[in-house]
Amino acid sequence: MDARPILFFDSGVGGLSIVGPTRAAMPNAPFVYAADSAGFPYGVKSAGEIAARVPALLGRLAERYRPRLIVIACNTASTIALPAVRAALDLPVVGTVPAIKPAAALSTTRVIGVLGTEATVAQRYVDDLSARFAGDCLVIRHGSAELVELAEQKLRGRRVEPERYAAVLDGLFGRPGGERIDVVVNACTHFPLVEAELAAAAPRPMRFIDGGEGIARRIAALCGDASRPERAPPGVAVFTRLGDGERELAPALAARGFPTIEAL
Ligand code: DGL
């Protein structure tokens, strides 16, 4: 029996959108949720800063929690640092990449919106995914640090004015061709946490998609059913800085199976 946890990593609460489908696929697996609150937000940092920070941090987390697998539940960190993390750690590492391929398969108008952080939407990696899987589509990208913050607020139980979601979406729909977008890729793990709010604020009905389900299937396949303990022990959430802002997340974390909060 393999009781080592699966460790999810993000700058903030975004990785919880990957925890959800993974929990559904592997209800008994032990989880650790790690948030680099001292480095939050990643989306406005340079690629160099993220590449320097993430592999070292994951090394420390791996030493402390001895996971059987690490999930970089953050598009920004994955698109920039995944190869370096894999090279540095002797563990399976699953990344998170923008769901452009399934979006292209769904779009009938052939106009796709990609909503991510500024850092993610500027990556060559996104150019490559668009060229490979959505070559016949117009791919309109928008980076929003604001939307990351709105998701953080929501999970702290704070009220967010609906107009703020509409203002973020205007960055996509207000662009040339934006009126024909029929599928939006949530290319930041924070964004599925506010998908209902985004759908309500959108100017017309449309699909929002993300990689959560596919990543959960990949994790379950890599771990294998036979290695699960009978019942999952309570999960641990660990922060690189633990202050009042992080403690405000306690109810949301407990509701998702992480009743214990600690500092790295
Ligand atoms: N959740 C992260 C992502 O998927 C980024 C949030 C941030 O800007 O720190 O890109």
Side-chain angles (χ1 to χ4, degrees):
M1 180 176 89
D2 190 342
R4 290 175 301 164
I6 297 169
L7 189 141
F8 295 81
F9 174 81
D10 182 35
S11 57
V13 295
L16 293 171
S17 72
I18 310 292
V19 166
T22 311
R23 181 91 69 199
M26 307 180 68
N28 301 327
F31 290 175
V32 170
Y33 189 80
D36 183 11
S37 46
F40 175 89
Y42 278 4
V44 295
K45 288 191 161 48
S46 70
E49 279 175 281
I50 291 167
R53 186 171 183 94
V54 172
L57 195 47
L58 281 171
R60 283 175 63 201
L61 286 162
E63 223 170 85
R64 175 135 156 199
Y65 295 102
R66 305 275 166 203
R68 66 172 132 162
L69 180 142
I70 286 178
V71 186
I72 305 185
C74 172
N75 289 82
T76 310
S78 297
T79 51
I80 294 167
L82 189 57
V85 171
R86 287 195 169 131
L89 298 179
D90 193 15
L91 274 172
V93 181
V94 174
T96 318
V97 297
I100 290 174
K101 185 180 178 185
L106 278 174
S107 174
T108 53
T109 61
R110 311 315 286 154
V111 185
I112 296 168
V114 176
L115 208 49
T117 63
E118 281 109 318
T120 295
V121 299
Q123 288 307 305
R124 265 273 306 279
Y125 195 86
V126 177
D127 300 338
D128 294 346
L129 286 176
S130 303
R132 278 179 66 197
F133 300 117
D136 66 334
C137 294
L138 173 61
V139 180
I140 301 176
R141 308 174 192 187
H142 180 56
S144 176
E146 162 95 356
L147 193 51
V148 173
E149 196 46 52
L150 297 187
E152 292 277 334
Q153 299 295 328
K154 177 181 172 180
L155 268 77
R156 284 169 172 76
R158 303 217 184 104
R159 194 186 132 63
V160 176
E161 300 300 324
E163 301 76 51
R164 294 180 71 186
Y165 293 102
V168 169
L169 288 177
D170 201 44
L172 273 184
F173 301 125
R175 300 262 289 283
E179 68 289 348
R180 288 189 294 125
I181 293 173
D182 64 346
V183 183
V184 174
V185 180
N186 276 329
C188 166
T189 52
H190 277 73
F191 300 169
L193 300 172
V194 291
E195 187 178 314
E197 289 82 351
L198 289 171
R204 53 188 181 279
M206 67 185 59
R207 298 283 298 268
F208 287 84
I209 68 162
D210 62 80
E213 299 283 342
I215 293 159
R217 278 195 299 274
R218 174 93 188 118
I219 297 166
L222 283 170
C223 289
D225 283 0
S227 61
R228 292 188 212 160
E230 285 299 294
R231 283 177 58 169
V236 175
V238 56
F239 290 89
T240 54
R241 179 184 56 211
L242 185 52
D244 291 347
E246 289 73 33
R247 292 194 190 282
E248 274 184 87
L249 291 166
L253 288 164
R256 289 164 176 82
F258 302 98
T260 304
I261 297 183
E262 55 194 37
L264 181 65

